[in-house]
């Protein structure tokens, strides 16, 4: 009898373990004791994690009283944006962690140290299309963003040359063509692009990260590829200068410039104001924009060369 009871306990324990093992990841979404969700973002260089968290908490408090009743909801503009914003911030607190690389952030998500990660739409879609373990939890189309090249403060002449090349590529349709080819219509892993060599010409060292695919991508063999290589190859041709690529983590972009390891960094993010519904326009969204600083003093930026207004919240599918 005792042996039967002991076996019964073991069986019950195994049953519980089996049930937990097959539960979907969404059951563990709010895993902290206070009910908050652990959210990962790529490091913003011009602010700290604590400053970012404080601004996010303040914005949550400011918007919470503005949630409409069922009767009021029909009168709100951009209801889809409002609902996404409520579900992402107001109803549940986000506890944000900064990550210096996309790989580290993905590993934290896979090991359940994070419940979700936040990425530009094209990067989120790229990850989902290449990994069946990810799902879009929802989209957050509330803040227009863009990316630019970064230069040391004194390299104004080089910045001017890049700005001229970007402007020309916009005007003649090259930028739009490359964006379609390598981002919006890309159906597979980005491929490397050949760089033309100009004998005796100036060498420009450009830091790429691989942390924003398919915009900024590094293949498994360490070769930079995709939209970044296509744009930089075209700029090299137009300036008749030799472009050489080096790899750094997203968190090391400005350090690569300051140490002169690189002359140019492939991307810095610029964020605008939150696009809240009209009834919520009294909320000071500049507080959030002011901490979304992906730049440091001593770095000057080129004209933007890629823009988006939607970020995706990505979670585990199993």
């Amino acid at each position: 009898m005792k042996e039967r009871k002991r076996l019964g306990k073991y069986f019950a324990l195994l049953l519980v373990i089996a049930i937990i093992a097959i539960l979907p990841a969404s059951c563990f979404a709010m895993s902290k004791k206070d009910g908050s969700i652990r959210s990962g973002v790529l490091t913003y260089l011009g602010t700290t994690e604590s400053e970012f968290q404080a601004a996010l908490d303040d914005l949550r408090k400011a918007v919470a009283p503005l949630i409409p009743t069922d009767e009021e909801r029909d009168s709100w503009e951009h209801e889809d944006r409002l609902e996404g914003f409520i579900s992402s911030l107001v109803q549940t607190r986000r506890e944000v962690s900064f990550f210096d690389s996309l790989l580290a952030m993905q590993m934290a998500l896979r090991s359940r140290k994070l419940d979700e990660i936040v990425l530009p739409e094209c990067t989120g879609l790229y990850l989902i299309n290449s990994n069946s373990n990810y799902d879009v939890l929802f989209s957050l189309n509330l803040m227009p963003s863009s990316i630019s090249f970064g230069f040391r403060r004194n390299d104004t002449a080089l910045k001017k040359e890049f700005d001229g090349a970007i402007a020309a590529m916009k005007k003649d349709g090259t930028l739009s063509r490359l964006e379609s080819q390598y981002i919006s219509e890309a159906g597979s892993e980005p491929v490397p692009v050949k760089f033309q060599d100009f004998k005796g010409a100036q060498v420009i060292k450009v830091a790429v990260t691989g942390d924003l695919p398919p915009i900024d991508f590094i293949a498994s063999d360490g070769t930079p590829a995709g939209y970044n290589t296509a744009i930089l190859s075209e700029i090299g041709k137009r300036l008749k200068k030799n472009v050489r690529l080096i790899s750094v983590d997203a968190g090391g972009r400005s350090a690569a410039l300051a140490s002169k390891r690189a002359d140019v960094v492939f991307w810095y993010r610029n964020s605008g104001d939150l696009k809240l519904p009209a009834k919520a326009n009294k909320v000071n969204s500049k507080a959030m924009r002011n901490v979304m600083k992906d730049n440091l003093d001593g770095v000057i930026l080129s004209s933007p060369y890629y823009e988006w207004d939607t970020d995706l919240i990505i979670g585990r599918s199993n």
Side-chain angles (χ1 to χ4, degrees), residues 12-32:
L13 179 60
L14 289 172
L15 181 61
V16 171
I17 293 173
I19 292 173
I20 292 174
I22 64 174
L23 284 174
S26 58
C27 293
F28 301 96
M30 291 185 291
S31 55
K32 290 186 68 63

Side-chain angles (χ1 to χ4, degrees), residues 15 45 84 95 100 129 137 148 164 168 180 209 211 259 273 298 315:
L15 181 61
L45 298 176
E95 186 173 291
D100 285 346
N129 290 336
L137 301 182
S148 303
S180 296
T209 71
D211 288 316
S259 66
D273 284 336

Side-chain angles (χ1 to χ4, degrees), residues 186-307:
S188 60
E189 181 174 301
V191 297
V193 176
K194 292 185 178 180
F195 286 79
Q196 189 169 339
D197 187 67
F198 298 94
K199 189 174 181 179
Q202 178 186 357
V203 174
I204 302 174
K205 296 174 293 182
V206 182
V208 296
T209 71
D211 288 316
L212 216 61
I215 303 172
D216 192 3
F217 177 83
I218 295 178
S220 56
D221 65 357
T223 304
Y227 185 62
N228 58 357
T229 54
I231 279 191
L232 289 166
S233 176
E234 185 67 29
I235 289 177
K237 292 176 185 176
R238 292 176 185 239
L239 300 184
K240 291 183 169 50
K241 295 183 178 181
N242 295 315
V243 175
R244 301 288 183 265
L245 305 181
I246 64 171
S247 299
V248 301
D249 283 342
R253 285 168 288 152
S254 292
L257 278 180
S259 66
K260 297 191 177 180
R261 183 184 173 199
D263 305 306
V264 182
V265 170
F266 184 69
W267 61 269
Y268 286 89
R269 177 171 177 169
N270 309 288
S271 300
D273 284 336
L274 290 173
K275 294 180 180 178
L276 295 177
K279 195 171 182 179
N281 61 12
K282 64 181 179 180
V283 175
N284 183 10
S285 62
K286 289 183 180 180
M288 198 66 227
R289 182 193 65 185
N290 288 342
V291 299
M292 297 185 77
K293 294 178 180 177
D294 187 31
N295 192 11
L296 292 175
D297 292 340
V299 177
I300 54 177
L301 302 180
S302 72
S303 302
Y305 53 84
Y306 181 72
E307 300 177 353

